[in-house]
Amino acid sequence: METWNQSSDSARSHTPLMVNRRIDEHVEACVRHMATHADRPEMSRYLQTLEREWDLNRAVMVGTAVAGALGLLLGRRDGGGWRWLSAVAAGVLLQHGVLGFGPLSAPLRALGIRTRREIDLEKFAIKALRGDFERIPNDGGPMARANAALVAAQS
């Protein structure tokens, strides 16, 4: 199943194809596992885990805030020499906010940090498998249900 994720957010479009595929394959594997082995309570527990997962924007905000605070703190100690770190952090945050991606996006994506949309797609697919929506057929076996859930989550 190669084309279920048709997301076109800026972070995803600036991420190497191999990284996007690895993230998509992880989602597919989780949804297929839920379709074949999980019961409703396990799906609900997994959905709670997904609710707590940090998305790319949150990771960038926290990382730049830490870098900015560190630059101010170290700059206070040595007379201002480290304040450039705060300026760089502000610039990275500004770029990420305006363009939707920045220099921190690539390494965070390579570590598997997903966009909010990617996390939501997985959540919606699991909810569809759990029976929260009427669009998912009960016939055709677990793999057909997993594929239908991924497609339904995308639409």
Side-chain angles (χ1 to χ4, degrees):
M1 176 191 284
E2 185 142 346
T3 61
W4 68 268
N5 192 347
Q6 299 296 319
S7 297
S8 61
D9 59 34
S10 57
R12 194 169 165 84
S13 64
H14 287 87
T15 300
L17 184 60
M18 193 160 103
V19 174
N20 283 335
R21 278 193 185 146
R22 190 174 68 231
I23 290 170
D24 292 346
E25 287 169 0
H26 170 75
V27 171
E28 289 175 24
C30 289
V31 171
R32 288 188 175 137
H33 172 78
M34 291 291 161
T36 56
H37 303 305
D39 57 2
R40 194 170 170 80
E42 184 179 347
M43 289 181 193
S44 296
R45 284 190 299 275
Y46 186 67
L47 284 168
Q48 290 173 352
T49 302
L50 290 175
E51 288 291 334
R52 292 187 301 271
E53 183 176 337
W54 282 29
D55 64 29
L56 181 64
N57 289 334
R58 185 176 186 186
V60 167
M61 285 189 285
V62 169
T64 55
V66 167
L70 186 63
L72 290 174
L73 186 67
L74 292 174
R76 185 172 181 197
R77 285 184 152 182
D78 76 349
W82 278 94
R83 290 195 182 142
W84 61 269
L85 184 59
S86 297
V88 169
V92 167
L93 188 58
L94 179 65
Q95 180 183 7
H96 188 82
V98 171
L99 301 177
F101 68 96
L104 281 182
S105 298
L108 289 173
R109 295 280 292 160
L111 290 172
I113 305 292
R114 301 187 286 173
T115 65
R116 174 53 44 198
R117 173 122 172 96
E118 290 167 334
I119 296 168
D120 286 345
L121 284 173
E122 184 175 2
K123 284 174 27 185
F124 292 143
I126 301 298
K127 286 179 180 183
L129 286 174
R130 191 173 64 173
D132 293 5
F133 310 117
E134 296 177 8
R135 296 168 126 183
I136 307 304
N138 286 328
D139 57 340
M143 290 304 128
R145 290 182 64 230
N147 291 343
L150 289 166
V151 171
Q154 181 64 35
S155 58

